[in-house]
Amino acid sequence: MASTSIMSFGVSPFSAMRPRFRVQAQNLDGPVIPTNTVLPSESDSAVTAINGVSSSSSLVLDTKHEKNDSFIVEKNKENGKLIIEEKRKGNDADDAMVLEPLWDDGYGTQTVEDYFAAAKEIINGDGGPPRWFCPVECGSPLKNSPTLLFLPGLDGTGFGLTLHHKALGKAFEVRCLHIPVLDRTPFEGLVKLVEEAIKVEYALAPNKPIYLVGDSFGGCLALAVAARNPTIDLVLILVNPATSFGRSQLQPLFPILEALPNELHVTVPFLLSFVMGEPMKMASVSIENSLPPAKKLEQLSSNLTALLPCLPELANIMPKETLIWKLKLIKTAAAYANSRLHAVKAEVLVLASGKDNMLPSKDEAQRLARSIQNCRVRNFKDSGHTLLLEDGIGLLTIIRGTCMYRLSRRHDLVRDYIPISMTEFKTAMDIVGLLRFLTGSVVFSTLEDGKIVQGLDGVPVEGPVIYVGYHMLLGVDLPSLVEEFITQKGIVLRGISHPELFEGRRENVSSEFGVFDWMKIFGSVPVSGSYLFKLLKNNSHILLYPGGQREALHYKGEEYKVIWPDHPEFVRMAVRFGATIVPFGTVGEDDIADIVLDFNDLAKIPYFIEYVRELQRGSVKFRDEISGEVASRDIAPPLILPKLPGRFYYLFGKPISTKGMENMLKDREAANKLYLKIKSEVENNMGYLLKKRQEDPYRNFIDRRLYQTLYPRSESDQTPTFKI
């Protein structure tokens, strides 16, 4: 059955940007108008009002998509507005599109130079009212993706997401607002324009969230719209919002702009470019982190040289009259938004730059977090005002890492999950690069015939699979383990994590994008029966540590002690889906650090227990006393003393298939026997590794480094280890 949706939006006359759809324009009184046709607004078939604003521009229609997509352009008989009806067959190839791990998100392929090129093109003969456009680079989104509306900052071009178009285009229906250079629509008019767009989207899909990404001035616009529409499911991403405009560091200089002669205005945007952004980070967007320092410096110098000629274009984007008008517009917008913060019911994420020389964004993020009831913050200490045009973390990555991406009103970390991209994988591995370099991990697995081999050949490819193992001190075993599965097998391990990581209770206004955010990007979900059920049903590869934080924060003398619950928590669920269980052992924590003070030692310090219990107040409890020693209790990270690194070893045991074990669903004793067998296999795997590592000539970091120096190899070639 064909599905139908209706959109109402103004169409940009920017001919260089092709709309992403095959279009059929139909005059209500005449025949179908062919594609690639320009409809002048004064003709009978033109629309006299777009988004409620009179338009004198032409409607440019172009083709790009397959023949399954078609639109019919109509005029609403009641209000004369443009109505575009989309008809798409249910078996469209795009609907079946899925993303594989390490997909190409395009980050780094577009730079600030591309932003200036697009801005220069769109302002050429720029006229007419504000309108929406869909960037070609966004391509076709995944099935049932929500809509994302980008609200621009001071420039008004709508190209502030240039670096992020390709990635966002996979997860959202992206539309960007363009405010022409000569447009003088008041703030209330812009609010109504955006409001009309979200109401149309809400009417089409009332169960989907609508994302508003507001950059600077656009942040005020997003807040105003959210305050006026509390019943619509909105998600706001505010990037250095201009709600703090009244406290801007440049406030004393703004009156000077009006008195400045026109001949000197060309210098103002040029100077503003250095105030608004961090040129070094802008020029670093396309530079690979893996490059040698000398090559990085050479490329950075080249990028800066290429960027400088683009800066004078800002004078065309913001002529004197336009700049003065927009500064007044921002002042009005800030006052409007600040007076209505109490009415904002939307989910809000504020991204604040630590080196914003135009606005006190970091302080403003703290104020907004206190003023808006459902607001979280991420700080980027080295970024300037133009955060979205600078080198750093992609916007889609930030949205996903903060658990803000969802396909419906209710967040589901299994259904809403998007696999990690190549850029995200490289960035994450760079963050933990030192640990990976120092520990030189080596992985073994067991074939069906019981033979142990180096690598992951013994690991099942088809899910569902549950990998059950020992959690090393402070969870240092995770980075290398996740890396090996992605690079060797193309498998993303969906880790079962402590629910506290997802509650946001410990977040504060100084939170930076950190390790817990990256865990969510790599697919972690909170421990719960419902999520385990969903992952198994989805044929996922699940990483489970029954010992949890008690095992990862163990006491002195408990190295390699398997501290699990007294009863099976996962066995019967695995049997229900016929899942494969792979027990594994990890060894190496005692080769990188010694525990100096554990929880029992720290508890003797005055007020320490009270401090820990205060931190634990209100924390999520998911185990009770019947779970035994692993049950939730007072624990804290131990004080450790690092030492010359050894090596991490992983051994995955023989896979245990639960198909045909349905009797365990009712037989608790049989399920417990299998549970004890799995636990015993984990202990045996660690015993094997502890014995065999004594035979590894390159267990010590210095020995490994010497070998790598004498026998340089590619990064994928590993330093030898013990003989199996």
Side-chain angles (χ1 to χ4, degrees), residues 628-650:
E629 191 177 0
V630 76
S632 298
R633 55 188 295 177
D634 294 337
I635 55 176
L639 181 64
I640 63 173
L641 179 64
K643 58 184 182 181
L644 188 66
R647 199 170 196 179
F648 284 177
Y649 303 88
Y650 303 81

Side-chain angles (χ1 to χ4, degrees), residues 425-459:
F425 178 71
K426 287 181 177 179
T427 303
M429 290 303 104
D430 285 341
I431 294 173
V432 295
L434 181 60
L435 177 64
R436 292 163 52 237
F437 173 71
L438 293 175
T439 55
S441 303
V442 58
V443 179
F444 303 91
S445 59
T446 309
L447 303 178
E448 289 291 339
D449 60 4
K451 181 181 179 181
I452 297 175
V453 295
Q454 188 169 347
L456 293 173
D457 289 344
V459 168

Side-chain angles (χ1 to χ4, degrees), residues 350 352 360-370 375 377 379 509:
V350 181
S361 293
K362 188 174 180 180
D363 293 339
E364 181 64 5
Q366 298 181 31
R367 187 183 74 89
L368 292 175
R370 293 191 299 266
C375 179
V377 173
N379 287 296
V509 292

Side-chain angles (χ1 to χ4, degrees), residues 190 279 331 423 504 643 704:
L190 294 175
K331 184 177 181 180
T423 302
K643 58 184 182 181
R704 283 199 309 278

Side-chain angles (χ1 to χ4, degrees), residues 337-611:
N338 283 322
S339 66
R340 291 163 174 80
L341 292 179
H342 64 280
V344 176
K345 308 300 180 186
E347 193 177 359
V348 180
L349 172 64
V350 181
L351 309 182
S353 296
K355 293 184 178 179
D356 189 343
N357 296 318
M358 186 171 180
L359 298 171
S361 293
K362 188 174 180 180
D363 293 339
E364 181 64 5
Q366 298 181 31
R367 187 183 74 89
L368 292 175
R370 293 191 299 266
S371 304
I372 301 174
Q373 57 182 287
N374 188 13
C375 179
R376 60 182 64 180
V377 173
R378 287 296 181 273
N379 287 296
F380 299 86
K381 61 180 182 180
D382 296 322
S383 296
H385 185 70
T386 53
L387 174 64
L388 296 175
L389 290 174
E390 298 176 12
D391 183 37
I393 302 173
L395 182 58
L396 179 60
T397 303
I398 296 170
I399 293 173
R400 291 169 50 227
T402 51
C403 287
M404 301 287 280
Y405 184 74
R406 50 189 173 89
L407 301 176
S408 64
R409 286 186 175 272
R410 188 171 183 178
H411 199 182
D412 187 321
L413 291 171
V414 175
R415 180 198 59 212
D416 301 338
Y417 180 67
I418 295 176
I420 187 166
S421 71
M422 178 59 80
T423 302
E424 291 168 340
F425 178 71
K426 287 181 177 179
T427 303
M429 290 303 104
D430 285 341
I431 294 173
V432 295
L434 181 60
L435 177 64
R436 292 163 52 237
F437 173 71
L438 293 175
T439 55
S441 303
V442 58
V443 179
F444 303 91
S445 59
T446 309
L447 303 178
E448 289 291 339
D449 60 4
K451 181 181 179 181
I452 297 175
V453 295
Q454 188 169 347
L456 293 173
D457 289 344
V459 168
V461 175
E462 300 296 326
V465 183
I466 304 180
Y467 303 92
V468 187
Y470 169 76
H471 212 1
M472 281 207 288
L473 182 66
L474 301 178
V476 291
D477 51 318
L478 278 173
S480 295
L481 185 62
V482 169
E483 178 191 19
E484 293 293 340
F485 268 84
I486 290 180
T487 55
Q488 289 193 40
K489 308 289 285 187
I491 292 174
V492 174
L493 294 177
R494 303 298 303 272
I496 305 294
S497 305
H498 197 287
E500 281 289 297
L501 305 184
F502 300 85
E503 290 296 314
R505 191 176 66 89
R506 299 197 188 283
E507 286 186 8
N508 55 63
V509 292
S510 62
S511 295
E512 295 187 8
F513 197 87
V515 62
F516 294 155
D517 297 314
W518 281 109
M519 288 177 64
K520 297 164 192 172
I521 290 169
F522 273 85
S524 288
V525 300
V527 56
S528 72
S530 61
Y531 269 125
L532 182 58
F533 179 93
K534 291 176 181 178
L535 288 172
L536 288 168
K537 186 177 180 180
N538 206 41
N539 293 324
S540 301
H541 289 251
I542 304 164
L543 179 61
L544 177 64
Y545 293 107
Q549 62 177 356
R550 173 63 182 85
E551 208 167 65
L553 303 178
H554 60 69
Y555 307 150
K556 285 187 289 189
E558 291 184 337
E559 293 83 2
Y560 310 121
K561 178 182 178 181
V562 179
I563 307 172
W564 285 13
D566 293 337
H567 61 282
E569 296 180 315
F570 61 89
V571 171
R572 288 192 293 169
M573 186 79 79
V575 170
R576 178 173 181 175
F577 288 91
T580 301
I581 299 174
V582 181
F584 71 94
T586 56
V587 165
E589 66 175 65
D590 57 336
D591 268 356
I592 62 168
D594 289 323
I595 298 178
V596 178
L597 297 175
D598 62 14
F599 178 81
N600 293 325
D601 298 320
L602 295 171
K604 298 174 184 177
I605 301 174
Y607 305 110
F608 179 80
I609 288 291
E610 289 78 5
Y611 173 74

